[in-house]
Amino acid sequence: MAQQASKSVALDRIDADAPMFDPNAFRLGEEQAEIIARARELGQTVFASRAAAYDRDAKFPTENYQDLHRAGLLGIAIPKKHGGLGADYETYSLAAAEIGRYCGATALTWNMHVCSTLWSGALADDLDMDAAIRAEHERRRAVHYKRIVEDGAVYSQPFSEGGASAAGGVAFGTEAKPVSGGWLVNGKKIFASLAGHADYYGVLCTEVAAGEKASRRNTLYLAIASKADGISVVGDWDPLGMRGTVSRTLLFKDVFVPDDAALMPRGVYFQAATRWPHMFLTLSPTYVGLAQAAYDFTVRYLRGEMPGTPPVKRRMYPTKQIAVAQMQIKLEQTKALWYQAITEAHANPTKEQVLRAYAAQYSAMEGANEIATLAIRTCGGQAMLKSLPLERIYRDSRCGSLMLPWTAELCLDRIGREALYESGESDD
Ligand SMILES: Cc1cc2nc3c(=O)[nH]c(=O)nc-3n(C[C@H](O)[C@H](O)[C@H](O)COP(=O)(O)OP(=O)(O)OC[C@H]3O[C@@H](n4cnc5c(N)ncnc54)[C@H](O)[C@@H]3O)c2cc1C
Protein backbone atom coordinates (compact mmCIF):
# COMPACT_ATOMS: atom_id res chain seq x y z
CA MET A 1 0.00 0.00 0.00
CA ALA A 2 2.76 2.38 1.06
CA GLN A 3 4.61 1.46 -2.11
CA GLN A 4 1.55 2.27 -4.24
CA ALA A 5 1.19 5.71 -2.62
CA SER A 6 4.78 6.69 -3.32
CA LYS A 7 4.43 5.44 -6.88
CA SER A 8 1.40 7.63 -7.48
CA VAL A 9 3.22 10.68 -6.09
CA ALA A 10 6.09 10.00 -8.48
CA LEU A 11 3.70 9.66 -11.41
CA ASP A 12 1.91 12.84 -10.46
CA ARG A 13 4.93 15.06 -11.13
CA ILE A 14 6.74 15.38 -14.41
CA ASP A 15 10.49 15.44 -14.79
CA ALA A 16 10.92 18.82 -16.43
CA ASP A 17 14.70 18.38 -16.32
CA ALA A 18 14.95 15.12 -18.28
CA PRO A 19 17.65 15.11 -21.00
CA MET A 20 16.58 17.20 -24.00
CA PHE A 21 17.93 14.50 -26.31
CA ASP A 22 17.27 11.16 -24.67
CA PRO A 23 20.40 9.02 -25.19
CA ASN A 24 18.35 5.98 -26.25
CA ALA A 25 16.00 7.81 -28.57
CA PHE A 26 18.85 9.68 -30.26
CA ARG A 27 21.21 6.71 -30.14
CA LEU A 28 23.96 8.55 -28.29
CA GLY A 29 27.10 6.73 -27.18
CA GLU A 30 27.76 6.18 -23.47
CA GLU A 31 30.66 8.60 -23.27
CA GLN A 32 28.73 11.20 -25.26
CA ALA A 33 25.72 10.89 -22.97
CA GLU A 34 27.95 11.21 -19.88
CA ILE A 35 29.46 14.52 -21.07
CA ILE A 36 26.03 15.93 -21.95
CA ALA A 37 24.62 14.80 -18.59
CA ARG A 38 27.52 16.51 -16.83
CA ALA A 39 26.62 19.79 -18.54
CA ARG A 40 22.91 19.35 -17.81
CA GLU A 41 23.47 18.62 -14.13
CA LEU A 42 25.70 21.66 -13.70
CA GLY A 43 23.11 23.81 -15.48
CA GLN A 44 20.20 22.48 -13.45
CA THR A 45 21.77 22.30 -10.00
CA VAL A 46 24.01 25.38 -10.10
CA PHE A 47 23.59 27.74 -13.07
CA ALA A 48 19.78 27.98 -13.00
CA SER A 49 19.72 29.62 -9.57
CA ARG A 50 22.43 32.16 -10.47
CA ALA A 51 20.99 33.21 -13.83
CA ALA A 52 18.58 35.87 -12.55
CA ALA A 53 21.30 37.86 -10.77
CA TYR A 54 23.68 37.82 -13.77
CA ASP A 55 20.80 39.02 -15.92
CA ARG A 56 19.60 41.71 -13.52
CA ASP A 57 23.07 43.19 -13.01
CA ALA A 58 24.34 42.48 -16.58
CA LYS A 59 27.23 40.76 -14.81
CA PHE A 60 29.55 38.18 -16.35
CA PRO A 61 28.99 34.66 -14.91
CA THR A 62 32.52 34.31 -13.51
CA GLU A 63 31.46 31.75 -10.88
CA ASN A 64 29.92 29.55 -13.61
CA TYR A 65 33.24 29.57 -15.45
CA GLN A 66 35.04 28.38 -12.33
CA ASP A 67 32.52 25.53 -12.14
CA LEU A 68 32.90 24.75 -15.84
CA HIS A 69 36.65 24.50 -15.29
CA ARG A 70 36.25 22.22 -12.26
CA ALA A 71 33.90 19.96 -14.27
CA GLY A 72 36.43 19.74 -17.13
CA LEU A 73 33.96 21.48 -19.42
CA LEU A 74 36.25 24.36 -20.44
CA GLY A 75 38.16 21.63 -22.26
CA ILE A 76 35.11 19.81 -23.63
CA ALA A 77 36.31 19.94 -27.25
CA ILE A 78 40.04 19.72 -26.52
CA PRO A 79 41.42 16.39 -27.76
CA LYS A 80 42.02 13.82 -25.03
CA LYS A 81 45.73 13.67 -25.77
CA HIS A 82 45.86 17.35 -24.71
CA GLY A 83 43.95 16.68 -21.47
CA GLY A 84 40.44 17.61 -22.68
CA LEU A 85 37.23 15.58 -22.87
CA GLY A 86 37.65 15.08 -26.63
CA ALA A 87 33.99 15.80 -27.44
CA ASP A 88 33.11 16.07 -31.12
CA TYR A 89 30.94 18.79 -32.68
CA GLU A 90 27.70 16.92 -32.07
CA THR A 91 28.44 16.17 -28.42
CA TYR A 92 29.48 19.75 -27.74
CA SER A 93 26.30 21.07 -29.40
CA LEU A 94 24.04 18.82 -27.33
CA ALA A 95 25.88 19.77 -24.12
CA ALA A 96 25.62 23.48 -24.97
CA ALA A 97 21.87 23.17 -25.53
CA GLU A 98 21.57 21.74 -22.00
CA ILE A 99 23.48 24.70 -20.55
CA GLY A 100 21.37 27.14 -22.59
CA ARG A 101 18.29 25.67 -21.00
CA TYR A 102 19.38 27.01 -17.61
CA CYS A 103 21.46 30.10 -18.39
CA GLY A 104 21.47 31.57 -21.89
CA ALA A 105 24.34 33.98 -21.27
CA THR A 106 26.59 31.24 -19.92
CA ALA A 107 25.84 28.97 -22.87
CA LEU A 108 26.41 31.72 -25.44
CA THR A 109 29.71 32.86 -23.98
CA TRP A 110 30.81 29.26 -23.41
CA ASN A 111 30.24 28.80 -27.13
CA MET A 112 32.72 31.59 -27.91
CA HIS A 113 35.24 29.91 -25.63
CA VAL A 114 34.68 26.36 -26.92
CA CYS A 115 34.89 27.45 -30.56
CA SER A 116 38.51 28.50 -29.96
CA THR A 117 39.23 24.84 -29.26
CA LEU A 118 36.74 23.23 -31.66
CA TRP A 119 37.84 25.31 -34.66
CA SER A 120 41.53 24.86 -33.90
CA GLY A 121 40.89 21.20 -33.01
CA ALA A 122 38.49 18.77 -34.71
CA LEU A 123 37.56 21.27 -37.43
CA ALA A 124 41.16 22.11 -38.36
CA ASP A 125 41.95 18.38 -38.43
CA ASP A 126 39.37 18.08 -41.21
CA LEU A 127 41.07 20.71 -43.40
CA ASP A 128 44.05 20.65 -45.75
CA MET A 129 47.51 21.55 -44.44
CA ASP A 130 50.88 20.25 -45.50
CA ALA A 131 52.78 18.14 -42.94
CA ALA A 132 55.09 20.93 -41.75
CA ILE A 133 52.23 23.39 -41.21
CA ARG A 134 50.16 20.76 -39.45
CA ALA A 135 53.05 19.95 -37.12
CA GLU A 136 53.49 23.65 -36.33
CA HIS A 137 49.75 23.98 -35.71
CA GLU A 138 49.87 20.98 -33.38
CA ARG A 139 52.69 22.59 -31.39
CA ARG A 140 50.89 25.93 -31.13
CA ARG A 141 47.47 24.63 -30.20
CA ALA A 142 49.03 22.56 -27.41
CA VAL A 143 50.02 25.88 -25.78
CA HIS A 144 46.42 27.13 -25.85
CA TYR A 145 44.96 23.83 -24.69
CA LYS A 146 47.38 23.58 -21.74
CA ARG A 147 46.36 27.05 -20.52
CA ILE A 148 42.71 26.08 -20.65
CA VAL A 149 42.96 22.63 -19.12
CA GLU A 150 45.51 23.45 -16.42
CA ASP A 151 44.87 27.09 -15.59
CA GLY A 152 41.21 27.49 -16.54
CA ALA A 153 42.04 30.17 -19.12
CA VAL A 154 38.93 31.53 -20.84
CA TYR A 155 38.91 32.48 -24.53
CA SER A 156 36.44 34.69 -26.36
CA GLN A 157 35.68 35.22 -30.02
CA PRO A 158 35.25 38.85 -31.06
CA PHE A 159 34.79 39.13 -34.81
CA SER A 160 31.92 41.62 -35.25
CA GLU A 161 32.90 45.10 -36.38
CA GLY A 162 29.57 46.73 -37.20
CA GLY A 163 29.85 46.38 -40.98
CA ALA A 164 29.80 43.64 -43.63
CA SER A 165 32.94 41.79 -42.43
CA ALA A 166 31.23 39.63 -39.78
CA ALA A 167 28.56 38.82 -42.39
CA GLY A 168 31.39 37.36 -44.52
CA GLY A 169 31.06 40.07 -47.19
CA VAL A 170 34.42 41.83 -46.92
CA ALA A 171 37.78 41.43 -45.18
CA PHE A 172 37.91 42.21 -41.45
CA GLY A 173 38.80 45.84 -40.83
CA THR A 174 40.93 44.90 -37.83
CA GLU A 175 44.39 44.55 -39.32
CA ALA A 176 47.51 42.61 -38.35
CA LYS A 177 50.72 44.04 -39.76
CA PRO A 178 53.55 41.48 -39.90
CA VAL A 179 56.56 42.50 -37.77
CA SER A 180 59.52 40.57 -36.43
CA GLY A 181 58.23 37.70 -34.24
CA GLY A 182 54.54 38.37 -34.83
CA TRP A 183 52.09 41.14 -35.72
CA LEU A 184 50.96 44.58 -34.69
CA VAL A 185 47.17 44.57 -34.42
CA ASN A 186 44.96 47.64 -34.82
CA GLY A 187 41.19 47.80 -34.94
CA LYS A 188 37.88 47.66 -33.15
CA LYS A 189 35.46 44.83 -32.30
CA ILE A 190 31.88 45.47 -31.23
CA PHE A 191 29.65 43.11 -29.24
CA ALA A 192 32.76 41.38 -27.92
CA SER A 193 31.18 38.95 -25.44
CA LEU A 194 33.40 38.28 -22.40
CA ALA A 195 35.11 41.67 -22.89
CA GLY A 196 37.10 42.37 -19.74
CA HIS A 197 36.54 38.79 -18.53
CA ALA A 198 38.29 36.50 -21.01
CA ASP A 199 42.01 35.80 -20.61
CA TYR A 200 42.46 35.67 -24.39
CA TYR A 201 40.47 37.33 -27.15
CA GLY A 202 40.29 35.07 -30.24
CA VAL A 203 40.35 37.90 -32.74
CA LEU A 204 39.63 37.51 -36.45
CA CYS A 205 41.66 40.06 -38.36
CA THR A 206 43.25 40.58 -41.76
CA GLU A 207 46.98 40.19 -42.27
CA VAL A 208 48.02 43.14 -44.41
CA ALA A 209 51.68 43.67 -45.32
CA ALA A 210 52.84 47.14 -46.41
CA GLY A 211 51.45 47.97 -49.86
CA GLU A 212 49.03 45.02 -49.89
CA LYS A 213 45.24 45.23 -50.22
CA ALA A 214 43.08 43.60 -47.53
CA SER A 215 41.68 40.22 -48.61
CA ARG A 216 39.40 37.72 -46.85
CA ARG A 217 41.89 35.01 -47.87
CA ASN A 218 44.39 36.55 -45.47
CA THR A 219 42.18 36.31 -42.38
CA LEU A 220 44.10 35.42 -39.24
CA TYR A 221 42.62 33.96 -36.06
CA LEU A 222 44.78 35.20 -33.18
CA ALA A 223 44.42 34.58 -29.43
CA ILE A 224 45.45 37.94 -28.02
CA ALA A 225 46.21 38.10 -24.28
CA SER A 226 43.65 40.39 -22.69
CA LYS A 227 46.41 42.00 -20.60
CA ALA A 228 48.50 42.94 -23.66
CA ASP A 229 49.46 46.61 -23.97
CA GLY A 230 47.22 48.60 -26.28
CA ILE A 231 43.89 46.86 -25.55
CA SER A 232 40.99 48.73 -24.03
CA VAL A 233 37.40 47.77 -23.23
CA VAL A 234 35.04 50.68 -23.79
CA GLY A 235 31.34 51.52 -23.78
CA ASP A 236 28.57 50.33 -21.55
CA TRP A 237 26.43 47.19 -21.74
CA ASP A 238 22.74 47.44 -20.97
CA PRO A 239 20.90 45.33 -23.58
CA LEU A 240 17.47 43.71 -23.84
CA GLY A 241 18.67 40.16 -23.34
CA MET A 242 21.77 37.99 -22.96
CA ARG A 243 22.84 40.56 -20.42
CA GLY A 244 25.41 38.34 -18.72
CA THR A 245 27.48 38.10 -21.90
CA VAL A 246 28.98 41.58 -21.24
CA SER A 247 29.53 42.18 -24.95
CA ARG A 248 31.29 45.55 -24.80
CA THR A 249 33.58 47.12 -27.40
CA LEU A 250 37.26 46.17 -27.69
CA LEU A 251 39.87 48.53 -29.10
CA PHE A 252 43.30 47.41 -30.30
CA LYS A 253 46.00 50.05 -30.71
CA ASP A 254 49.38 48.77 -31.91
CA VAL A 255 49.02 45.57 -29.91
CA PHE A 256 52.02 43.28 -30.39
CA VAL A 257 50.90 39.69 -30.88
CA PRO A 258 53.53 36.92 -31.02
CA ASP A 259 53.54 34.19 -33.72
CA ASP A 260 52.45 31.53 -31.22
CA ALA A 261 49.13 33.33 -30.72
CA ALA A 262 47.80 31.96 -34.02
CA LEU A 263 44.86 29.63 -33.38
CA MET A 264 44.94 28.58 -37.02
CA PRO A 265 47.76 28.71 -39.59
CA ARG A 266 47.64 31.28 -42.41
CA GLY A 267 44.82 30.62 -44.87
CA VAL A 268 43.10 27.99 -42.73
CA TYR A 269 40.33 30.25 -41.40
CA PHE A 270 39.36 31.18 -44.96
CA GLN A 271 39.41 27.49 -45.89
CA ALA A 272 37.23 26.69 -42.88
CA ALA A 273 34.71 29.46 -43.65
CA THR A 274 34.31 28.21 -47.22
CA ARG A 275 34.58 24.43 -46.73
CA TRP A 276 33.24 23.85 -43.20
CA PRO A 277 30.13 26.06 -43.03
CA HIS A 278 28.67 24.34 -39.96
CA MET A 279 31.31 26.22 -37.96
CA PHE A 280 28.78 29.08 -37.93
CA LEU A 281 25.94 26.90 -36.61
CA THR A 282 27.55 26.73 -33.17
CA LEU A 283 25.63 29.77 -31.90
CA SER A 284 22.38 27.85 -32.22
CA PRO A 285 22.60 25.28 -29.34
CA THR A 286 22.04 28.02 -26.75
CA TYR A 287 18.75 28.89 -28.41
CA VAL A 288 17.59 25.28 -28.76
CA GLY A 289 18.12 25.14 -24.99
CA LEU A 290 16.07 28.31 -24.50
CA ALA A 291 13.25 26.87 -26.63
CA GLN A 292 13.20 23.78 -24.41
CA ALA A 293 13.27 25.95 -21.28
CA ALA A 294 10.23 27.96 -22.40
CA TYR A 295 8.32 24.75 -23.09
CA ASP A 296 9.38 23.09 -19.80
CA PHE A 297 8.35 26.20 -17.89
CA THR A 298 4.91 26.20 -19.49
CA VAL A 299 4.19 22.56 -18.73
CA ARG A 300 5.33 22.92 -15.14
CA TYR A 301 3.45 26.17 -14.63
CA LEU A 302 0.16 24.99 -16.11
CA ARG A 303 0.36 21.88 -13.94
CA GLY A 304 0.76 24.12 -10.86
CA GLU A 305 4.22 22.73 -10.14
CA MET A 306 6.40 25.80 -10.58
CA PRO A 307 8.46 26.35 -7.41
CA GLY A 308 7.77 29.75 -5.88
CA THR A 309 4.23 29.99 -7.26
CA PRO A 310 0.92 28.90 -5.72
CA PRO A 311 -0.08 25.34 -6.75
CA VAL A 312 -2.85 26.60 -9.04
CA LYS A 313 -3.55 24.30 -11.99
CA ARG A 314 -4.40 25.84 -15.34
CA ARG A 315 -3.96 22.78 -17.50
CA MET A 316 -7.69 21.97 -17.82
CA TYR A 317 -8.43 24.85 -20.23
CA PRO A 318 -8.66 23.71 -23.87
CA THR A 319 -7.09 26.92 -25.22
CA LYS A 320 -4.03 26.37 -23.05
CA GLN A 321 -3.83 22.73 -24.14
CA ILE A 322 -3.86 23.82 -27.79
CA ALA A 323 -1.09 26.34 -27.15
CA VAL A 324 1.02 23.67 -25.44
CA ALA A 325 0.41 21.37 -28.41
CA GLN A 326 1.60 24.12 -30.78
CA MET A 327 4.68 24.67 -28.64
CA GLN A 328 5.46 20.98 -28.49
CA ILE A 329 5.15 20.61 -32.28
CA LYS A 330 7.38 23.64 -32.87
CA LEU A 331 9.92 22.35 -30.36
CA GLU A 332 10.02 18.87 -31.88
CA GLN A 333 10.34 20.30 -35.40
CA THR A 334 13.19 22.55 -34.29
CA LYS A 335 15.01 19.82 -32.40
CA ALA A 336 14.63 17.20 -35.14
CA LEU A 337 15.91 19.49 -37.90
CA TRP A 338 18.69 20.89 -35.71
CA TYR A 339 19.80 17.42 -34.58
CA GLN A 340 20.03 16.25 -38.17
CA ALA A 341 22.06 19.34 -39.08
CA ILE A 342 24.57 18.98 -36.23
CA THR A 343 25.21 15.36 -37.15
CA GLU A 344 26.14 16.48 -40.69
CA ALA A 345 28.94 18.88 -39.71
CA HIS A 346 32.06 18.03 -41.69
CA ALA A 347 34.21 19.39 -44.51
CA ASN A 348 32.63 19.86 -47.93
CA PRO A 349 28.97 19.27 -47.12
CA THR A 350 26.55 18.89 -50.00
CA LYS A 351 24.39 21.81 -51.09
CA GLU A 352 21.39 20.11 -49.47
CA GLN A 353 23.26 19.83 -46.17
CA VAL A 354 24.26 23.50 -46.26
CA LEU A 355 20.67 24.60 -46.95
CA ARG A 356 19.57 22.36 -44.08
CA ALA A 357 22.14 23.98 -41.76
CA TYR A 358 20.76 27.45 -42.61
CA ALA A 359 17.22 26.15 -42.06
CA ALA A 360 18.25 24.65 -38.71
CA GLN A 361 19.85 27.91 -37.61
CA TYR A 362 16.79 29.92 -38.67
CA SER A 363 14.43 27.48 -36.94
CA ALA A 364 16.40 27.50 -33.68
CA MET A 365 16.84 31.26 -33.55
CA GLU A 366 13.31 32.23 -34.53
CA GLY A 367 11.69 29.13 -33.01
CA ALA A 368 13.07 29.81 -29.53
CA ASN A 369 11.47 33.23 -29.50
CA GLU A 370 8.19 31.98 -30.99
CA ILE A 371 7.92 29.33 -28.29
CA ALA A 372 8.81 31.84 -25.56
CA THR A 373 6.20 34.27 -26.92
CA LEU A 374 3.53 31.57 -26.82
CA ALA A 375 4.66 30.60 -23.33
CA ILE A 376 4.09 34.11 -22.02
CA ARG A 377 0.68 34.41 -23.65
CA THR A 378 -0.41 30.99 -22.43
CA CYS A 379 0.86 31.04 -18.87
CA GLY A 380 -0.60 34.47 -18.12
CA GLY A 381 0.36 37.61 -16.23
CA GLN A 382 1.84 36.16 -13.06
CA ALA A 383 4.21 34.04 -15.13
CA MET A 384 6.05 37.01 -16.60
CA LEU A 385 7.12 38.55 -13.30
CA LYS A 386 10.84 38.96 -12.88
CA SER A 387 10.80 36.53 -9.97
CA LEU A 388 10.38 33.73 -12.55
CA PRO A 389 12.73 32.79 -15.42
CA LEU A 390 10.25 33.00 -18.31
CA GLU A 391 10.61 36.70 -19.08
CA ARG A 392 14.42 36.31 -19.14
CA ILE A 393 14.12 33.33 -21.47
CA TYR A 394 11.89 35.47 -23.69
CA ARG A 395 14.36 38.39 -23.77
CA ASP A 396 17.40 36.13 -24.29
CA SER A 397 15.65 34.23 -27.08
CA ARG A 398 15.02 37.48 -29.00
CA CYS A 399 18.79 37.90 -29.50
CA GLY A 400 19.31 34.71 -31.53
CA SER A 401 18.23 36.10 -34.89
CA LEU A 402 20.82 38.87 -34.67
CA MET A 403 23.91 36.72 -34.51
CA LEU A 404 26.16 37.14 -37.53
CA PRO A 405 27.15 35.67 -39.89
CA TRP A 406 23.96 33.58 -39.92
CA THR A 407 21.30 36.07 -38.83
CA ALA A 408 17.72 34.98 -39.51
CA GLU A 409 17.59 37.40 -42.44
CA LEU A 410 20.86 36.21 -43.96
CA CYS A 411 19.71 32.57 -43.64
CA LEU A 412 16.52 33.42 -45.57
CA ASP A 413 18.56 35.34 -48.10
CA ARG A 414 20.98 32.46 -48.72
CA ILE A 415 18.37 29.70 -48.75
CA GLY A 416 16.27 31.61 -51.28
CA ARG A 417 19.17 32.41 -53.57
CA GLU A 418 21.04 29.11 -53.30
CA ALA A 419 17.85 27.07 -53.76
CA LEU A 420 17.12 28.88 -57.02
CA TYR A 421 20.61 29.35 -58.47
CA GLU A 422 23.39 26.84 -58.93
CA SER A 423 26.90 28.12 -58.34
CA GLY A 424 27.93 30.50 -61.18
CA GLU A 425 24.39 30.85 -62.62
CA SER A 426 22.94 34.28 -63.36
CA ASP A 427 20.04 35.74 -65.34
CA ASP A 428 22.22 38.18 -67.31
C1 LIG B 1 24.04 39.14 -27.02
C2 LIG B 1 24.97 39.24 -28.16
C3 LIG B 1 26.25 38.73 -28.04
C4 LIG B 1 27.15 38.83 -29.10
N1 LIG B 1 28.41 38.32 -28.96
C5 LIG B 1 29.28 38.42 -29.97
C6 LIG B 1 30.62 37.93 -29.86
O1 LIG B 1 31.01 37.37 -28.84
N2 LIG B 1 31.43 38.06 -30.92
C7 LIG B 1 31.05 38.66 -32.04
O2 LIG B 1 31.83 38.72 -32.96
N3 LIG B 1 29.81 39.14 -32.19
C8 LIG B 1 28.92 39.04 -31.18
N4 LIG B 1 27.65 39.55 -31.33
C9 LIG B 1 27.35 40.35 -32.52
C10 LIG B 1 26.48 39.68 -33.54
O3 LIG B 1 27.04 38.51 -34.06
C11 LIG B 1 26.27 40.67 -34.70
O4 LIG B 1 27.51 41.02 -35.26
C12 LIG B 1 25.62 41.94 -34.25
O5 LIG B 1 24.41 41.66 -33.62
C13 LIG B 1 25.40 42.80 -35.48
O6 LIG B 1 24.93 44.07 -35.10
P1 LIG B 1 24.80 45.21 -36.22
O7 LIG B 1 23.95 46.28 -35.65
O8 LIG B 1 26.16 45.56 -36.74
O9 LIG B 1 23.97 44.39 -37.28
P2 LIG B 1 23.52 44.67 -38.74
O10 LIG B 1 23.58 46.10 -39.06
O11 LIG B 1 22.24 43.96 -38.88
O12 LIG B 1 24.57 43.87 -39.58
C14 LIG B 1 25.90 44.30 -39.80
C15 LIG B 1 26.21 44.27 -41.30
O13 LIG B 1 25.97 42.96 -41.81
C16 LIG B 1 25.44 43.06 -43.14
N5 LIG B 1 24.04 42.58 -43.15
C17 LIG B 1 23.20 42.49 -42.11
N6 LIG B 1 21.99 42.06 -42.50
C18 LIG B 1 22.07 41.86 -43.82
C19 LIG B 1 21.15 41.42 -44.82
N7 LIG B 1 19.90 41.06 -44.49
N8 LIG B 1 21.58 41.33 -46.10
C20 LIG B 1 22.85 41.68 -46.42
N9 LIG B 1 23.76 42.11 -45.52
C21 LIG B 1 23.38 42.20 -44.25
C22 LIG B 1 25.45 44.52 -43.49
O14 LIG B 1 26.66 44.81 -44.15
C23 LIG B 1 25.39 45.21 -42.15
O15 LIG B 1 25.97 46.49 -42.15
C24 LIG B 1 26.76 39.46 -30.28
C25 LIG B 1 25.45 39.97 -30.40
C26 LIG B 1 24.57 39.87 -29.36
C27 LIG B 1 23.19 40.43 -29.52
Side-chain angles (χ1 to χ4, degrees):
M1 196 59 191
Q3 213 180 6
Q4 256 182 11
S6 72
K7 217 174 179 181
S8 81
V9 170
L11 282 177
D12 209 33
R13 295 185 78 84
I14 42 124
D15 180 7
D17 294 293
M20 285 176 62
F21 292 85
D22 176 65
N24 291 327
F26 288 86
R27 296 174 292 281
L28 304 180
E30 213 173 293
E31 199 177 337
Q32 221 184 351
E34 188 281 317
I35 294 172
I36 298 161
R38 204 186 292 193
R40 180 170 54 81
E41 278 158 26
L42 198 54
Q44 182 196 343
T45 58
V46 184
F47 296 174
S49 61
R50 292 179 182 156
Y54 295 138
D55 172 68
R56 187 188 56 233
D57 303 336
K59 181 179 170 294
F60 185 73
T62 303
E63 299 78 5
N64 289 356
Y65 273 78
Q66 289 158 354
D67 290 327
L68 285 165
H69 177 44
R70 272 192 285 274
L73 290 166
L74 286 186
I76 185 170
I78 292 178
K80 283 185 187 166
K81 66 177 172 185
H82 291 288
L85 299 184
D88 60 9
Y89 181 101
E90 176 190 325
T91 308
Y92 160 65
S93 300
L94 295 172
E98 292 287 4
I99 300 274
R101 198 174 170 189
Y102 299 102
C103 181
T106 299
L108 196 63
T109 49
W110 187 48
N111 174 69
M112 316 306 181
H113 166 84
V114 174
C115 279
S116 323
T117 62
L118 194 63
W119 292 6
S120 61
L123 196 152
D125 290 345
D126 220 8
L127 297 170
D128 298 334
M129 287 179 228
D130 70 30
I133 291 181
R134 198 173 290 284
E136 182 61 5
H137 177 55
E138 183 64 23
R139 189 189 66 72
R140 281 186 183 158
R141 69 182 177 180
V143 174
H144 299 288
Y145 296 165
K146 187 164 182 281
R147 283 179 193 150
I148 295 171
V149 171
E150 292 185 6
D151 311 332
V154 174
Y155 282 52
S156 73
Q157 205 179 42
F159 59 86
S160 296
E161 298 180 336
S165 57
V170 297
F172 286 101
T174 301
E175 290 192 352
K177 187 172 131 203
V179 292
S180 168
W183 299 271
L184 272 188
V185 172
N186 281 285
K188 171 181 168 182
K189 296 288 180 183
I190 66 163
F191 279 104
S193 292
L194 302 97
H197 298 277
D199 300 291
Y200 292 87
Y201 300 128
V203 173
L204 289 173
C205 51
T206 311
E207 184 173 40
V208 188
E212 249 181 19
K213 265 181 70 180
S215 161
R216 286 175 60 223
R217 290 183 179 278
N218 297 330
T219 303
L220 290 176
Y221 184 23
L222 305 178
I224 305 182
S226 58
K227 290 192 169 61
D229 288 341
I231 300 182
S232 47
V233 180
V234 298
D236 59 359
W237 178 248
D238 189 12
L240 169 81
M242 290 293 181
R243 294 170 56 80
T245 61
V246 189
S247 308
R248 295 171 65 198
T249 297
L250 279 178
L251 301 178
F252 299 89
K253 177 91 183 81
D254 290 331
V255 180
F256 174 73
V257 183
D259 290 328
D260 271 1
L263 281 163
M264 282 177 162
R266 283 189 170 87
V268 174
Y269 176 81
F270 181 74
Q271 199 191 140
T274 43
R275 293 184 53 213
W276 226 99
H278 290 74
M279 70 190 286
F280 300 123
L281 185 61
T282 54
L283 291 160
S284 62
T286 298
Y287 295 89
V288 176
L290 287 167
Q292 179 78 47
Y295 174 80
D296 292 342
F297 179 98
T298 306
V299 171
R300 220 179 227 169
Y301 189 83
L302 297 182
R303 287 170 58 91
E305 291 172 0
M306 178 56 64
T309 62
V312 177
K313 292 192 197 313
R314 294 168 169 86
R315 66 183 175 185
M316 62 294 271
Y317 303 114
T319 42
K320 296 198 188 293
Q321 292 173 6
I322 288 172
V324 169
Q326 288 171 327
M327 290 168 70
Q328 201 272 353
I329 291 167
K330 184 92 205 157
L331 181 65
E332 285 297 335
Q333 287 171 340
T334 303
K335 283 166 69 175
L337 171 60
W338 180 78
Y339 181 74
Q340 176 63 25
I342 61 165
T343 61
E344 296 179 328
H346 52 72
N348 307 324
T350 64
K351 173 178 165 174
E352 185 194 340
Q353 289 173 323
V354 176
L355 293 186
R356 188 155 43 241
Y358 295 145
Q361 168 94 353
Y362 181 92
S363 302
M365 299 314 206
E366 290 289 82
N369 191 248
E370 281 169 31
I371 294 172
T373 303
L374 261 176
I376 293 208
R377 195 193 73 188
T378 308
C379 291
Q382 291 181 66
M384 60 99 218
L385 298 175
K386 281 198 181 282
S387 53
L388 295 174
L390 184 57
E391 63 86 36
R392 184 185 73 248
I393 293 168
Y394 174 77
R395 287 183 288 104
D396 284 353
S397 70
R398 189 57 279 170
C399 299
S401 305
L402 315 177
M403 307 302 295
L404 284 172
W406 286 10
T407 63
E409 282 185 356
L410 282 162
C411 287
L412 287 177
D413 192 40
R414 289 180 189 189
I415 294 170
R417 195 176 55 246
E418 291 171 31
L420 292 168
Y421 292 82
E422 291 302 325
S423 170
E425 273 185 342
S426 87
D427 298 314
D428 300 335

